[in-house]
Amino acid sequence: MTYQRKTSKRRTITASAGLGLILIFGGLSSATANGADPKGLLKAMSDYMAAQTAISFSYDTSLEVVTKDHQKLLLASSGAVELSRPDKLHANRHGGFADVEMTFDGKTLTLLGKDTNLYAQSDIPGTVDHLVDELRDTYHRPVPGADLLLSNVYEELMRDVVDVKDLGSGVIGGMECDHLAFRAKEVDWQIWIAQGERPYPCRYVITSKEVDQGPQYSVQIRDWKAGNEVAAGDFAFENKTGAKKVDPKDLVDIDELPNQFSPGGAQ
């Protein structure tokens, strides 16, 4: 009898919690009760980002992978970004499988693999927006978090969106944020935007709906600086370690997803 009562109580608690979630999510819409518009909040963030001639921040990423036996694994890395609009970018990323530095001076992209002390260069004259397009379309580098660096963040993120929700407030790294959720054809994504006069993205999470188990990619931003807060940087590549130059196709093991976790790799 005691076991049955405990089991019944657990079921009641679980059912109540489930009902609470149904009531919460059933009441969400494209605008909150106080009239806040999630699209408007995202557009305000986009306008703020586009207006900044200089940006720098540190970040932490988490990349979920799903093994053949449906186990979810989480790969973590950290790095920093410095951007000078319209055509200068310096970024680095250090994870358990790669230590990479990227430099773009408006004409040439340089990728340095610090673990192997090899680097490769490609001529990609143009803006940072053009660079991101080239990385994705020509070099097949998805760079999912790069959407946040574009001059038209709103247009890029809202492409193919079919549903939006304002989930209220959240706190990321001590900063109170507006928490928004969006559904598109192939992915769901969420974004936490700092409240106040500097509505920068604090966290960005993408869920791949068309991949088994719905793995997520997330990037969390910290140490945000913009405008005059950003020290003037030198975006020219300096080969300080005597790295050997190689063809871009020979620069391997620089991705967040190592070969053993890629399709066809050992998992």
Side-chain angles (χ1 to χ4, degrees):
M1 288 295 294
T2 302
Y3 173 77
Q4 291 178 340
R5 285 198 296 271
K6 288 182 178 178
T7 301
S8 176
K9 184 176 181 181
R10 269 200 307 271
R11 288 175 178 169
T12 301
I13 293 172
T14 303
S16 298
L19 177 60
L21 289 174
I22 292 171
L23 291 174
I24 290 171
F25 285 96
L28 292 173
S29 66
S30 61
T32 55
N34 62 9
D37 176 15
K39 292 183 180 180
L41 293 170
L42 184 67
K43 184 63 165 60
M45 183 204 79
S46 177
D47 292 345
Y48 166 77
M49 297 281 286
Q52 307 309 309
T53 57
I55 292 171
S56 72
F57 58 86
S58 299
Y59 67 88
D60 301 299
T61 69
S62 295
L63 174 64
E64 281 188 342
V65 296
V66 181
T67 66
K68 294 177 181 179
D69 57 355
H70 305 293
Q71 181 182 11
K72 275 190 178 183
L73 305 175
L74 195 64
L75 309 180
S77 63
S78 294
V81 171
E82 185 177 348
L83 169 69
S84 178
R85 297 197 190 278
D87 59 358
K88 305 289 191 299
L89 178 67
H90 180 267
N92 61 68
R93 172 175 48 80
H94 188 195
F97 299 95
D99 189 357
V100 186
E101 181 176 304
M102 179 177 72
T103 305
F104 179 64
D105 61 4
K107 297 179 181 179
T108 303
L109 170 68
T110 303
L111 291 174
L112 170 65
K114 294 183 177 180
D115 291 334
T116 57
N117 205 31
L118 300 175
Y119 78 96
Q121 292 183 313
S122 297
D123 292 329
I124 310 178
T127 64
V128 171
D129 287 22
H130 175 66
L131 171 66
V132 173
D133 288 339
E134 283 292 296
L135 287 172
R136 288 174 171 168
D137 300 336
T138 303
Y139 296 93
H140 309 294
R141 305 283 184 184
V143 286
D147 288 333
L148 302 177
L149 301 178
L150 300 177
S151 60
N152 57 341
V153 179
Y154 182 82
E155 287 78 7
E156 288 296 322
L157 291 184
M158 287 301 296
R159 187 174 297 159
D160 298 326
V161 166
V162 296
D163 182 66
V164 299
K165 290 182 175 67
D166 185 337
L167 301 182
S169 293
V171 177
I172 305 295
M175 175 66 68
E176 188 167 4
C177 304
D178 292 308
H179 180 192
L180 312 176
F182 299 79
R183 305 209 78 178
K185 293 180 179 179
E186 297 180 354
V187 299
D188 291 341
W189 54 276
Q190 300 176 70
I191 194 165
W192 287 255
I193 301 172
Q195 296 179 358
E197 298 180 354
R198 307 202 309 171
Y200 66 89
C202 294
R203 179 184 286 171
Y204 179 45
V205 178
I206 304 170
T207 304
S208 300
K209 296 191 294 184
E210 297 188 345
V211 178
D212 184 34
Q213 305 293 310
Q216 292 186 332
Y217 174 86
S218 70
V219 55
Q220 184 163 316
I221 290 175
R222 49 189 169 81
D223 304 325
W224 176 267
K225 295 179 181 178
N228 295 332
E229 297 175 326
V230 181
D234 185 359
F235 294 90
F237 172 66
E238 296 182 23
N239 190 359
K240 297 179 180 180
T241 62
K244 179 183 177 181
K245 186 176 182 178
V246 297
D247 189 271
K249 65 180 177 60
D250 296 324
L251 191 63
V252 297
D253 297 327
I254 62 172
D255 293 325
E256 287 184 274
L257 183 66
N259 290 335
Q260 61 262 43
F261 292 109
S262 61
Q267 297 182 357

